[in-house]
Amino acid sequence: MTAQLWSRRTLLSGAASSAALLIASCAAKQSKAIAAAPPAQPGGARVMIIRHAEKPSGSTGPQGIDVNGSPDSHSLTVRGWTRAGALVELFAPATGAYRTGLAKPTAVYAAGGSGGEGTRPRETAGPLAERLGKTVLTTYAKGSESALAAEVARRTEPTLISWQHEEIPALAAAFGVTAPQKWPDDRFDVVWVLTPAGSGWALSQVPQLLLAGDSAEPIK
């Protein structure tokens, strides 16, 4: 099957279907989820940071495919699109309870930028924003972590940020929290959750456990 046979509807519906099966198969693993995060709340400030989903690993690996099904080195792979679909049920489940520590975002941010810059973070957040009836906010690009943190810190409701992994530690630092200094190249499966703590913020990590091979271990 060629990439040209893929369509936006095929990608998103296929990702959602695969996500449902994968979430069910991973349900047993949820007991291993990191318990450091506080319970989800119906409202209140909470910042949930994710890395964009899987990307092409090189010329011999899976290729990137854009939302229209065309090859694009700046886009997600098929596994990445599957994760993007699974994230919809993680952050806005149609039925059932939220994962401990998570809440439904009322605003979704993703990295902006021209050309291919920020494409994967936007693609990752797109299906969730569509479920929520929200527009992905792309005011800030990679390198503008301090300005993004300042804006989001003023919000009083849950927020999701989809970002490039190299700069996620800097984004966390902009909120004033102590976090791992590097996000590993091979980890796409963790949510960093920031919650108000006194006059600042506290960091916890929630494993996604959405796709085969996802780890329950935090980033150290």
Side-chain angles (χ1 to χ4, degrees):
M1 181 172 62
T2 64
Q4 286 71 20
L5 294 177
W6 289 71
S7 66
R8 183 174 186 275
R9 183 177 296 275
T10 301
L11 280 168
L12 295 182
S13 63
S17 297
S18 298
L21 293 173
L22 287 162
I23 290 171
S25 69
C26 291
K29 297 181 181 179
Q30 291 186 12
S31 61
K32 298 180 180 179
I34 298 165
Q41 303 172 5
R46 181 181 301 265
V47 183
M48 299 166 290
I49 305 173
I50 59 172
R51 177 192 183 175
H52 63 71
E54 282 82 347
K55 63 179 182 178
S57 57
S59 58
T60 60
Q63 68 176 350
I65 300 174
D66 69 15
V67 73
N68 295 313
S70 300
D72 179 13
S73 62
H74 297 292
S75 289
L76 303 175
T77 61
V78 171
R79 180 178 171 88
W81 282 108
T82 302
R83 185 177 299 281
L87 288 169
V88 175
E89 287 300 313
L90 184 65
F91 290 107
T95 60
Y98 283 84
R99 185 82 59 82
T100 299
L102 304 182
K104 180 187 291 187
T106 61
V108 178
Y109 287 78
S114 58
E117 184 73 20
T119 296
R120 287 186 284 265
R122 295 191 292 271
E123 289 174 341
T124 301
L128 173 61
E130 187 172 335
R131 163 72 67 86
L132 296 172
K134 303 290 184 181
T135 298
V136 178
L137 303 172
T138 58
T139 308
Y140 303 99
K142 180 179 178 179
S144 301
E145 289 76 25
S146 294
L148 172 59
E151 178 172 317
V152 172
R154 292 192 292 269
R155 302 197 75 248
T156 59
E157 298 179 332
T159 304
L160 180 86
I161 301 174
S162 176
W163 213 249
Q164 291 98 328
H165 74 290
E166 300 95 339
E167 305 303 327
I168 291 179
L171 179 58
F175 282 91
V177 302
T178 300
Q181 296 300 300
K182 183 178 181 180
W183 187 294
D185 292 341
D186 61 350
R187 295 296 301 272
F188 299 87
D189 56 359
V190 182
V191 184
W192 281 11
V193 181
L194 308 183
T195 50
S199 59
W201 298 82
L203 170 69
S204 58
Q205 301 189 45
V206 176
Q208 295 179 12
L209 299 177
L210 296 175
L211 306 187
D214 280 7
S215 173
E217 296 300 315
I219 292 173
K220 299 178 180 179

